[in-house]
Amino acid sequence: MLKIKNLKADIESKSILNNFNLEIKPGEVHAIMGPNGSGKSTLSNILSGKKGYDVSGEILFENKNLFELETEERAHKGIFLAFQYPLEIPGVNTNIFLKTSLNAIRKARGEKELDAIEFLKLVKLKAKELKFDEEKLNRQLNVGFSGGEKKKNEILQMSILNPKLSILDETDSGLDIDALKIVADGVNSLRKKDNSFLIITHYQRLLDYIKPDYVHVLMNGHIIKSGGPELALELENKGYENFN
Amino acid sequence: MREKQIDKLKDYKYGFTTDIENIRAPKGLNKEVIEFISKAKKEPKWMLDWRMKAFERLKNLKEPNWQKPKYPKIDYQDIYYYSAPKSASETPKSIDELDPKLLETYKKLGIPLQEQQRLNGIAVDAVFDSVSVATTFKDKLNEVGVIFCSISEAIQKHPEIVKKYLGSVIPLTDHYFATLNSAVFTDGSFVYIPPGVKCPMELSTYFRINASQTGQFERTLIIADKGSYVSYLEGCTAPMRDENQLHAANVELVALDNAEIKYSTVQNWYPGDENGKGGIYNFVTKRGLCKGTNSKISWTQVETGSAITWKYPSCVLQGDNSIGEFYSIAITNNYQKADTGTKMIHLGKNTKSKIISKGISAGFSDMTYRGLVDISSKAKNSRNYTQCDSLLMGNKCGAHTVPYIKNKNPESNIAHEATTSKISEEQLHYCQQRGLNPEEAVGLIVNGFCKEVLQQLPMEFAVEAQKLVGISLEGSVG
Ligand SMILES: Nc1ncnc2c1ncn2[C@@H]1O[C@H](COP(=O)(O)OP(=O)(O)OP(=O)(O)O)[C@@H](O)[C@H]1O
Ligand SMILES: [Mg+2]
């Protein structure tokens, strides 16, 4: 599904990623852990299509060169990024945003757009599953949402859009224990043989709920070690300093 | 070249010209031309005298120059003051006899005039260059006593009402452009709503500039008699030309006791090209007089077109308990400039005014909100609330807020809030990540920003206006 080969990324001639390689197959869940500033968000931004990076190397998504696609085209193809810091958009009603987003993606895929009633039905269902307070959906997008509510809102969007590849950038940070469980349930319910996940986290705890197939350690601009779920435990015990 | 033209057409879809034979007054501003206009309109003598009085006064007036957008000197002798399709010179005429080219023009603009295709529930007065070419649903309105016709027709058929109110809100000598308009005004709409009548449909005027080197001097007069209500909307478009054309309108509204006038504008004059060449100078004087007690006048404007927009739709709150409202969206892109806002003059007791202004600037454009809230010493217990929000796109455009506040009454209260924000790259990226292209993203954010004002528009036009807001900002991202 996703093949990253020899990715190199600089910002303002400062090297962030180099010789970065990763392959995610359909249905797999990969976790990436790494110290602050190691380039995890940079990676997810680049995958999403954010501008402002000098990049080289190759990223294929379903055998298509991602660098040739605009951000929104990547979204249409099924790439979803749950942002580490979800943006506030004053004046834009959350429900309207969700509906516009869903319909833009459906339209690009040649699917029928949902009318207001169909959409509300869907959003009600998903909000309920995620125990997301529906009243908040009538507020301006992320404006005045608590940190945890913003994160939950990302997962709500993910479950409505049903993406093929979901990238979760520290979605667990700032969530209370119950919310963590709910978010994990959300991910697990989307987990199917074609849907893949790239989960960026600092805490082994999330991986208790979402069992990853692979865990990678990102340091010095690339993956220095890969393994199974046990690698996360090892990291938790040793810390990055003593890890090598 | 061709491609570029097609591109341009996409940007401004109203930019076509209708090839039609015109009757024109000779170029220039002089007594003969004013006589020509008055004669062409078969006006009574008092009207011509009134025009001449304005013309005399004009000689002692100077163009104001305190506004932010500056423009090259206008040569008033190099303008045609009257241009009318030859076929429409024999007014009034039934719509069935109208020149097919005119019908086609309005159809292309989305305003079908023919009986069977008319817009539901909206009566339209169609003004083409200097003349009103058609007014729909006249008979139906007549049944309830509503008069809706061109100002030219009103001067002939309802002289007593016109005489009483014309110039009663905007005095003949108000300022240069208003006085110029009084001397040379050509056409516009006239509305009279009799006591106690709630106008059964939306009234609207569609202004079209077609001829080149021609100024449009619209004059509109709306009177809502005691206890009546009317909602009126005007729309405007013009062909794409390299020259700048002047549109200097005067609009006067009078609301008597317990009457309400809701006046909406969707202004989409040709804004000029992406390098700032051409476009309309939209220098307009709009003023409403809340003459009666408990009267209400509400202005809503969506200003997206014109090279320069310079206007302050205002309310004079003379009657006790009267209410004035101003809701505005002004958008400038490329090299467009706008200096717009309102004046709320509180004279009566317990008068209230509300100003909601949303300015959006993109490209190299420049936007100024200028507003006056003036509470006189007699206007006891009056209130104003002003909210001015600016949204900037990119860092080459400008936004300025210039509020003037005069409160001479200690029992009265003025509240002012202002914000300036910017659409960030991060916000756009977030929207794009959710599948919206940059234009859709901007449209969504901007419509969210203007929502409060869009909601004020009559339903039928709100959707159109919303689209227009998106289109005007096309090309301003990425
Ligand atoms: N716009 C920018 N300009 C300059 N440096 C940047 C910019 N964006 C990121 N960086 C730098 O790139 C490095 C990687 O940042 P990134 O956000 O990818 O780290 P991260 O692994 O996600 O960290 P965290 O765990 O704290 O979220 C950091 O040193 C950061 O300061
Ligand atoms: Mg990060």
Side-chain angles (χ1 to χ4, degrees), chain B residues 27-54:
Chain B
K27 238 186 202 175
L29 180 60
N30 51 53
K31 274 191 165 164
E32 289 68 39
V33 164
I34 294 170
E35 275 161 7
F36 181 105
I37 294 170
S38 192
K39 200 169 161 204
K41 299 195 165 290
K42 303 192 178 75
E43 287 177 356
K45 181 153 181 310
W46 62 265
M47 195 67 250
L48 178 62
D49 292 346
W50 198 80
R51 287 175 181 278
M52 285 303 177
K53 202 166 142 195

Side-chain angles (χ1 to χ4, degrees), chain B residues 243-298:
Chain B
E243 53 174 323
N244 292 110
Q245 282 178 281
L246 178 64
H247 171 85
N250 280 9
V251 174
E252 294 176 282
L253 314 182
V254 181
L256 302 184
D257 291 351
N258 302 304
E260 178 177 350
I261 302 174
K262 201 172 150 54
Y263 190 107
S264 315
T265 303
V266 176
Q267 186 264 108
N268 189 20
W269 294 120
Y270 177 54
D273 69 8
E274 67 278 11
N275 300 312
K277 198 162 174 54
I280 303 290
Y281 290 161
N282 188 38
F283 300 168
V284 169
T285 308
K286 286 182 164 157
R287 204 171 297 160
L289 175 62
C290 282
K291 199 174 163 102
T293 53
N294 304 314
S295 56
K296 179 174 175 185
I297 289 179
S298 156

Side-chain angles (χ1 to χ4, degrees), chain B residues 391-410:
Chain B
L391 185 67
L392 294 165
M393 301 177 61
N395 44 22
K396 299 198 175 65
C397 52
H400 322 272
T401 303
V402 192
Y404 303 95
I405 292 168
K406 293 186 199 162
N407 190 352
K408 299 182 205 91
N409 191 300

Side-chain angles (χ1 to χ4, degrees), chain B residues 437-452:
Chain B
N437 66 38
E439 250 100 44
E440 289 168 330
V442 168
L444 190 72
I445 296 174
V446 165
N447 275 305
F449 176 76
C450 314
K451 199 165 46 195
E452 261 176 290

Side-chain angles (χ1 to χ4, degrees), chain A residues 72 76 81 91 101 154 157, chain B residues 427 429-430 432 434-435 451:
Chain A
E72 64 272 21
H76 300 158
L81 169 61
S101 155
E154 295 290 283
Q157 295 182 48
Chain B
Q427 284 174 326
H429 177 244
Y430 187 80
Q432 282 179 266
R434 299 298 136 91
K451 199 165 46 195

Side-chain angles (χ1 to χ4, degrees), chain A residues 41 84 169-170:
Chain A
S41 293
Q84 182 174 2
D169 191 354
E170 292 195 32

Side-chain angles (χ1 to χ4, degrees), chain A residues 48 50 71-72 75-76 79-81 83 87-92 97 100-101 104 142 154 157, chain B residues 424-438 440 444-449 451:
Chain A
S48 76
K50 191 162 189 225
T71 301
E72 64 272 21
H76 300 158
I79 294 181
F80 179 90
L81 169 61
F83 285 74
L87 274 293
E88 296 184 3
I89 307 191
V92 176
F97 181 78
T100 313
S101 155
N142 288 330
E154 295 290 283
Q157 295 182 48
Chain B
S424 70
E425 291 291 323
E426 271 72 25
Q427 284 174 326
L428 281 181
H429 177 244
Y430 187 80
C431 294
Q432 282 179 266
Q433 206 305 300
R434 299 298 136 91
L436 309 185
N437 66 38
E440 289 168 330
L444 190 72
I445 296 174
V446 165
N447 275 305
F449 176 76
K451 199 165 46 195

